[in-house]
Amino acid sequence: MKGAARLFGLVLSLALAGLSPTLAAARAPHAAASQRALAAGAVASPDIYGARAAQAVLRQGGNAVDAAIATAFTLAVTYPEAGNLGGGGFMTVYMDGKPYFLDYRETAPAAATAGMYLNAAGDADPNLSIVGNLAAGVPGTVRGLAEAHARFGKLSWKQDMAPAIALARDGFMVTPQLTGILKGASPSVGKGTNFDAWAAGMKAGQRFRQPQLAETLQRIADQGPDGFYKGVTADRIVAQMARGPIKGLITHADLEAYKAVWREPIVGDWHGFTLITAPPPSSGGIALLQMLRMKADREDLFRGQALNSAQYIHLVAEIEKRVFADRAVYLGDPDFVKVPVAALTDPAYIAGRARQIDSAKPSPTEGVAPGLEKPQTTHFSVVDRWGNAVSNTYTLNGWFGAGVVVEGAGFLLNDEMDDFSAKPGTPNMYGVVGGTANAIAPGKRPLSSMTPTILLKDGRVAMVIGTPGGSRIFTSVFQVLANAYDFRLPLKAAVGAPRYHHQLLPPNTIFAEPYGPYSPALAQGLKARGYVLQNQDYNGDIEAIEVMGRTPVVAPDPRARGAGLVVR
Ligand code: GLY
């Protein structure tokens, strides 16, 4: 394939020149402002309210970051299962021709300890890290959005927050899809929490008003991040920690100390695109780059394989196996552990891993050692008419986080502490295993899979993409990119195609969604190769924008209640 040949050339030249992916991208051609400009702005959001908020702000002359802030605050009102004030996330930004990455991931409270979720027998108790006060990390969203605004915002903070405040005060229409998710989540997040009392106000087809949340948002609009991390809101978060059967750890000092961090994004070349994506504490960017490059390296095996045939799914699973083995051992918060980013993204290393792929059958799980020597979240994508872009994934972790609503403040707290390795070697709620690099420590950020990604072509935005899905995040982004650029599917079809997933453990297991065609022949083909098939709920909620020429094309995922708008 032409793209793969181009990649091989680039990989070879990078290897010869000894360049890291980041340095290589810094040398990528820079497009002038007039070349970057688009015919319109656009947004792909997990719901229509988030999309309309971005539209309103873009029409007032705001840029992609203003629109992203408006969407993020709005989703905290209308998409309560994952949109949030009480969680955290990552924002990948392309602004005035330069890449940026903002880490506003939650942190472990100062009183957290490595063994805090172990029971008397020394086993990790997942109930404690998933539901209730003790599951919550120190929220990062408000600080992160304020940082993004201070650096790049064109409109005022109040203008960016106005759509969210109006929706909290006046209400939004609840969909049956949302009440379905509420019903499904209640037996878990409702256990010993105030979740069910809060959720009772949401009825399909009726307006849901959140006056306490409107007041919290108004405090943030008036006082900036101090309206959340200090004063009344902070008092209410801390008071909440003492309520219910399980006490929490977040203190005033934790809230005041919370900082969002600008980090160097992972930047790499693939198929003639420059990929800008998430660095640690996300595993997502490294994993995505490894997957894309391993596939390109093994073009000899992939050539002629139909999309989502048994052999194609097997080959992708072979790649995933190796990526998850690395993830489990090397990845963690770079402020606490040394993450070998350059080694893990080194083309020669990735090529060596790709050579180990067994084209006939699954490689034995135990034999896939890490290679170096010694759903629920939500995403939105925005572009503006100046050719800037924001790819933002943020999360409460599980749907509705810890199920804890901060009384008097009207928002949910995350259960992000479950993304740490409570006991190295024990799977978290996504079934992925972590190592000591991701052990709990005060102030540390848990390892994430969130992969907000921007692709550039010759310095101009070509695609903005991301999704929720826990450990399925980067395998989903990988599949859509392969569908769009290797199989040349139009973006909507690339997003809509069924997705499959493997993650090293459970051994040789392929997860399939109920969505889309799943033929007996495919099941038979996978079983014949030695795989166990496991069904799961839908896989991700990709919100993508592709720029064709100068015109953005939006592709909200048909799996959920996403909405895309082109804004002229
Ligand atoms: N909580 C999901 C993630 O950070 O990947």
Side-chain angles (χ1 to χ4, degrees), residues 105 327 377 395 397 416 419 430 447-450 470-471 473:
R105 181 83 164 152
R327 182 192 190 281
T377 293
T395 183
N397 197 24
E416 217 66 60
D419 274 352
Y430 298 106
L447 181 60
S448 171
S449 296
M450 294 186 287
S471 54
I473 289 176

Side-chain angles (χ1 to χ4, degrees), residues 62-443:
N63 62 21
V65 167
D66 290 303
I69 292 165
T71 301
F73 278 119
T74 296
L75 295 174
V77 178
T78 63
Y79 199 91
E81 62 265 50
N84 67 81
L85 301 182
F90 299 136
M91 185 184 284
T92 305
V93 179
Y94 188 59
M95 178 63 69
D96 298 330
K98 294 198 190 75
Y100 302 87
F101 182 83
L102 181 60
D103 168 2
Y104 60 96
R105 181 83 164 152
E106 302 90 326
T107 54
T113 58
M116 65 187 275
Y117 297 119
L118 301 183
N119 60 22
D123 295 323
D125 180 347
N127 293 321
L128 293 179
S129 61
I130 292 177
V131 180
N133 291 326
L134 197 61
V138 184
T141 294
V142 174
R143 182 75 68 196
L145 298 179
E147 276 285 332
H149 183 264
R151 188 158 187 179
F152 294 123
K154 273 184 85 191
L155 300 186
S156 72
W157 178 241
K158 284 191 174 171
Q159 278 174 296
D160 290 352
M161 288 193 66
I165 295 173
L167 283 159
R169 187 190 56 223
D170 303 337
F172 73 97
M173 295 303 286
V174 176
T175 63
Q177 198 249 357
L178 173 53
T179 49
I181 294 176
L182 280 170
K183 208 165 141 215
S186 168
S188 162
V189 294
K191 240 187 268 164
T193 66
N194 56 5
F195 176 79
D196 287 337
W198 168 81
M202 267 183 268
K203 303 253 185 310
Q206 293 185 15
R207 194 167 286 280
F208 181 53
R209 295 182 178 81
Q210 301 174 80
Q212 292 183 349
L213 180 56
E215 284 172 19
T216 302
L217 288 165
Q218 191 63 56
R219 280 194 293 275
I220 298 167
D222 293 341
Q223 301 165 34
D226 282 358
F228 184 89
Y229 293 96
K230 292 180 180 173
V232 174
T233 313
D235 289 347
R236 291 187 177 157
I237 295 171
V238 173
Q240 191 64 40
M241 294 292 108
R243 294 197 188 101
I246 304 169
K247 310 301 173 208
L249 300 182
I250 299 173
T251 62
H252 282 287
D254 287 322
L255 292 167
E256 287 194 32
Y258 182 84
K259 286 192 173 52
V261 183
W262 293 98
R263 300 191 189 276
E264 280 292 307
I266 297 280
V267 183
D269 296 306
W270 174 71
H271 280 7
F273 295 101
T274 302
L275 201 86
I276 308 166
T277 186
S282 182
S283 57
I286 290 174
L288 177 63
L289 204 57
Q290 286 187 333
M291 289 191 71
L292 292 169
R293 285 182 165 171
M294 267 195 252
K295 179 173 182 290
D297 281 342
R298 295 315 305 264
E299 187 53 30
D300 58 324
L301 301 180
F302 276 97
R303 191 176 301 118
Q305 300 302 338
L307 174 61
N308 289 338
S309 62
Q311 181 63 4
Y312 180 80
I313 293 169
H314 161 61
L315 291 173
V316 173
E318 281 286 280
I319 291 173
E320 289 167 332
K321 203 167 231 177
R322 287 162 176 80
V323 168
F324 274 95
D326 279 353
R327 182 192 190 281
V329 172
Y330 302 119
L331 279 277
D333 181 347
D335 294 340
F336 284 73
V337 292
K338 192 164 164 31
V339 181
V341 178
L344 290 167
T345 54
D346 177 33
Y349 168 71
I350 295 173
R353 297 288 272 169
R355 277 196 295 278
Q356 298 162 2
I357 289 171
D358 186 329
S359 64
K361 59 184 189 317
S363 306
T365 300
E366 310 70 43
V368 181
L372 288 184
E373 265 179 53
K374 310 261 142 41
Q376 296 119 351
T377 293
T378 191
H379 177 87
F380 55 87
S381 298
V382 190
V383 296
D384 65 28
R385 61 196 156 96
W386 299 284
N388 305 311
V390 171
S391 185
N392 188 92
T393 313
Y394 75 153
T395 183
L396 291 166
N397 197 24
W399 285 144
F400 309 104
V404 175
V405 183
V406 177
E407 288 182 21
F411 61 88
L412 284 149
L413 289 174
N414 68 83
D415 62 338
E416 217 66 60
M417 293 294 285
D418 190 61
D419 274 352
F420 280 115
S421 311
K423 180 180 181 183
T426 305
N428 72 357
M429 72 186 279
Y430 298 106
V432 293
V433 178
T436 49
N438 190 33
I440 303 171

Side-chain angles (χ1 to χ4, degrees), residues 6-25:
R6 211 168 28 229
L7 171 70
F8 181 69
L10 275 164
V11 164
L12 194 66
S13 57
L14 284 179
L16 290 175
L19 294 176
S20 74
T22 304
L23 278 177

